[in-house]
Amino acid sequence: MRVFLNPGHALGGNPDSGFSHPRLQLRECNLALTYGSLCGRYLELAGCAVKLLQSHNLSGENPGYPCVVDMANQWGADVFVSIHVNAGGGRGPETYCYRTDGAGGQLAACIQHQLLWGLAPYDRGYVDRGIKEHPSFCVLRNTIMPAVLVEVGFIDSDDVGILTQHGDDIARAIAQGIADYWRDTKTSVPIDMLLGE
Ligand SMILES: [Zn+2]
C-alpha cells in the first residue's frame, strides 16, 4: 500500500506557516510536519510505502516548489492524506473529503474515528466535528486516489494540550485510520498493523 502524506503549508514556514498560536511559539506547519513524519514511520513499520511532501505548491500554483498533487498522482499513491491544524477557537477534529459517499469519505470516516478513539479520552472537550465534503480543496479535487484533509484540532483553543502533548497519539491515530480503511476496502491485501499495542 502506497500512502502519500502532505503536512500542510510550507516547509519551514516560509513563505506560509499556516496558523499560529496567539502567544506560544507554535506554528501549524511544524505541528503538521511532526504528525506527518511520525505517522509515516508507523506506516512504514507496518509495511506501507510512504512518501511525504510539505510544499508551498499544492497543485501547480507555485512552480518554484515541488508539486504535491503531481507527485502523488505520478507515484501512484493508493491514498492521500493532508494534515492540518485548525484555528478559530473551536474544539476537536474534522476530516474533509471530496464526497462523503465515495472512497475518500470512507477514508475520512476511518481517520476521524481513530482520532476521537485515541485522543478524546485525554480531554472530553475534544469533540467530533464530523466528516465534511469540500470538493473545492485542490488536494481533494486534483488527486486521482482517495484523498482526505484532516484538521486534527484547533491551535487557538484548549485543543492545544492535545496538539502539543499527544502528537505521537495523533500520528498513530491517523496511521491506524489509514490501516482500517485499507483493511475494510482491500481485504485481499494483508497489512500487518500493530499500532494499537
Ligand atoms: Zn492548514
Side-chain angles (χ1 to χ4, degrees):
M1 177 193 196
R2 293 176 171 223
V3 180
F4 195 97
L5 299 174
N6 165 233
H9 306 281
L11 186 64
N14 184 21
D16 168 27
S17 63
F19 294 123
S20 301
H21 190 276
R23 294 178 310 279
L24 305 174
Q25 296 283 339
L26 215 52
R27 300 190 302 172
E28 180 183 359
C29 59
N30 296 339
L31 291 172
L33 182 58
T34 298
Y35 308 147
S37 301
L38 285 168
C39 178
R41 217 175 298 164
Y42 284 121
L43 289 165
E44 283 174 347
L45 284 172
C48 298
V50 175
K51 259 200 205 305
L52 180 146
L53 178 62
Q54 184 174 39
S55 176
H56 190 52
N57 183 6
L58 294 177
S59 192
E61 72 279 15
N62 292 305
Y65 298 83
C67 180
V68 169
V69 161
D70 285 354
M71 188 180 287
N73 288 343
Q74 284 160 16
W75 185 49
D78 295 302
V79 298
F80 177 100
V81 178
S82 190
I83 301 170
H84 288 252
V85 171
N86 227 331
R91 299 293 319 267
E94 58 193 18
T95 306
Y96 290 94
C97 56
Y98 188 79
R99 280 177 52 172
T100 50
D101 63 357
Q106 277 179 275
L107 177 60
C110 289
I111 291 173
Q112 181 75 8
H113 173 79
Q114 284 294 339
L115 279 170
L116 290 162
W117 177 261
L119 279 306
Y122 296 113
D123 181 346
R124 296 179 74 92
Y126 189 74
V127 294
D128 185 8
R129 301 175 67 85
I131 63 170
K132 299 175 181 179
E133 286 186 359
H134 208 311
S136 62
F137 279 161
C138 65
V139 291
L140 305 180
R141 190 181 67 238
N142 296 338
T143 42
I144 57 179
M145 70 294 300
V148 302
L149 185 152
V150 54
E151 299 271 8
V152 298
F154 286 74
I155 200 168
D156 56 354
S157 79
D158 286 343
D159 279 357
V160 77
I162 294 257
L163 296 178
T164 55
Q165 290 159 43
H166 293 283
D168 186 67
D169 296 299
I170 289 171
R172 198 182 280 260
I174 296 169
Q176 186 66 60
I178 293 167
D180 291 348
Y181 164 79
W182 196 251
R183 188 197 55 223
D184 292 350
T185 56
K186 316 270 182 188
T187 46
S188 62
V189 179
I191 180 165
D192 176 27
M193 294 303 289
L194 296 169
L195 301 174
E197 300 300 303

